[in-house]
Amino acid sequence: MVVAEEHAMPNSRLQLSTAARPQFDRRNDRGLLAVLALTPGLLLTLAIATFVVAGASSEAGLVLLASHVITQFIVLLIYGALLVEDEGLDPLGRALFAITFLFGAPVALPVYYLLRVLIPAGPEARGWALAISPKVVPA
């Protein structure tokens, strides 16, 4: 659903309504996104360590591995949405990150977090300027 103002300024653009779907803000939700990036890799590491220590038929290792698969799927959905909405990446960068998310997610997710979420690519948008005029300083 597209929401447009009736008296839109000539330089304004149509805004998509996002009221129906919650989304992560990469500036405000950095802590939560960091936890999400690290959780699947941590679960996989714990599952491998449990298999090495307790044997291949360890129930705890199987539970940790299943937890890794489930959380990895959920985190890939969230980070995939962030990747699609990332305006600072060109199509090649998006494709490379998408491929690394699929084949090396426990490493690629923290790398994407460090490069694209923690360290912003450019200055944060502050809104649309209605008029630009030089600041006049009284003499």
Side-chain angles (χ1 to χ4, degrees), residues 2 6-7 14 18 25 27 29 48 62 64-65 85 88 92-93 102 105 118 126 132 135:
V2 177
E6 290 181 14
H7 305 289
L14 295 176
T18 58
D25 182 6
R27 290 181 301 270
D29 298 327
I48 291 171
L62 292 174
L64 286 169
L65 189 61
E85 294 176 359
L92 178 63
L102 291 176
L118 186 62
R126 299 287 181 193
I132 299 174
K135 184 176 180 181

Side-chain angles (χ1 to χ4, degrees), residues 19-93:
R21 63 179 184 132
Q23 61 187 15
F24 287 102
D25 182 6
R26 65 181 69 234
R27 290 181 301 270
N28 295 330
D29 298 327
R30 286 183 180 146
L32 179 60
L33 289 171
V35 170
L36 289 175
L38 295 174
T39 300
L42 179 65
L43 288 172
L44 181 62
T45 304
L46 289 174
I48 291 171
T50 304
F51 285 138
V52 168
V53 171
S57 62
S58 169
E59 289 182 14
L62 292 174
V63 168
L64 286 169
L65 189 61
S67 300
H68 159 73
V69 170
I70 292 168
T71 57
Q72 186 71 57
F73 177 74
I74 294 168
V75 171
L76 280 177
L77 289 176
I78 293 169
Y79 269 83
L82 285 175
L83 183 64
V84 167
E85 294 176 359
D86 193 347
E87 295 175 358
L89 280 177
D90 60 344
L92 178 63

